Amino acid sequence: MTFHGLEDVWRRESSHVLGALLRRHGDYGDCEDAAQEALLAAVDQWPREGVPDNPRGWLIRVAWRRLVDRQRARVARERRELTDGRAERGDDPAALPGPGEHAPEDRDDSLRLLLMCCHQSLSRPSQVALTLRAVAGLSVEQIAAAYLVPPRTMTQRLTRARAALRDAGARFAMPTPDVRV
């Protein structure tokens, strides 16, 4: 598979992969990082072994495994750092569903993803940039070119937007009717 063929698959599937991860985990930054790691795995593996029959399912499975691995490493690190004997935090990844224990992969979460990217805690430019990245699958370089800013500046804007979503407690769910106004 050529790079451009993989790029087309990623552009088509990235929002679905991110949506599936967000539905199960909820933290945008962690999910986006795991999805990017799955893309890197695809870049490495697909040219050698061919594109799987279900690229979306493959990307979701690999991304989920990376997300769980990162969660387990984080929890293990926190356990090691605990010195005062406090009780463990309740976000143990062992309680997370395994790769086979999730909603169907063909569920389209694009609307939820779009609404999360347009969270009220974000500025309008950050909402648009995050939407172009997460929903449209554009690269940071492409978004930066549209905004006429250097890619580094756009990376910082997207990083701040992810942090703002985390700080605001944004969840990957349909908003309640009182928020939809």
Side-chain angles (χ1 to χ4, degrees):
M1 166 175 256
T2 67
F3 176 75
H4 293 293
L6 180 61
E7 187 176 343
D8 291 339
V9 169
W10 181 248
R11 185 166 290 123
R12 187 177 58 247
E13 301 298 346
S14 64
S15 66
H16 299 289
V17 173
L18 188 56
L21 295 173
L22 282 166
R23 185 178 343 111
R24 292 164 50 191
H25 179 67
D27 184 276
Y28 184 87
D30 288 348
C31 292
E32 187 179 44
D33 290 345
Q36 292 295 320
E37 289 177 19
L39 174 62
L40 291 174
V43 167
D44 182 51
Q45 188 172 343
W46 291 3
R48 288 190 324 259
E49 299 178 15
V51 179
D53 293 335
N54 181 0
R56 181 186 303 175
W58 188 95
L59 288 165
I60 290 170
R61 185 177 60 251
V62 170
W64 178 251
R65 288 177 180 166
R66 298 286 161 61
L67 187 61
V68 169
D69 288 347
R70 187 177 299 121
Q71 277 293 102
R72 286 181 178 150
R74 182 180 303 145
V75 169
R77 184 179 59 250
E78 288 172 356
R79 284 182 185 153
R80 285 190 308 267
E81 292 171 355
L82 276 174
T83 58
D84 60 4
R86 287 180 283 159
E88 293 181 24
R89 292 180 12 170
D91 61 351
D92 187 353
L96 296 173
E101 304 169 347
H102 55 82
E105 293 169 357
D106 61 349
R107 182 171 166 189
D108 189 354
D109 291 314
S110 300
L111 179 59
R112 283 188 178 116
L113 183 57
L114 176 66
L115 292 172
M116 185 176 195
C117 290
C118 295
H119 193 270
Q120 66 267 15
S121 67
L122 301 175
S123 68
R124 183 69 65 199
S126 293
Q127 290 173 342
V128 173
L130 199 57
T131 300
L132 290 172
R133 179 80 175 123
V135 178
L138 297 181
S139 70
V140 172
E141 291 77 17
Q142 291 170 315
I143 299 167
Y147 275 80
L148 303 175
V149 298
R152 180 175 167 90
T153 301
M154 185 52 60
T155 298
Q156 291 170 342
R157 176 174 287 167
L158 292 168
T159 300
R160 284 191 304 268
R162 288 173 17 178
L165 287 175
R166 184 178 296 122
D167 293 345
R171 289 290 156 230
F172 187 66
M174 292 300 288
T176 58
D178 60 308
V179 177
R180 286 186 227 159
V181 177

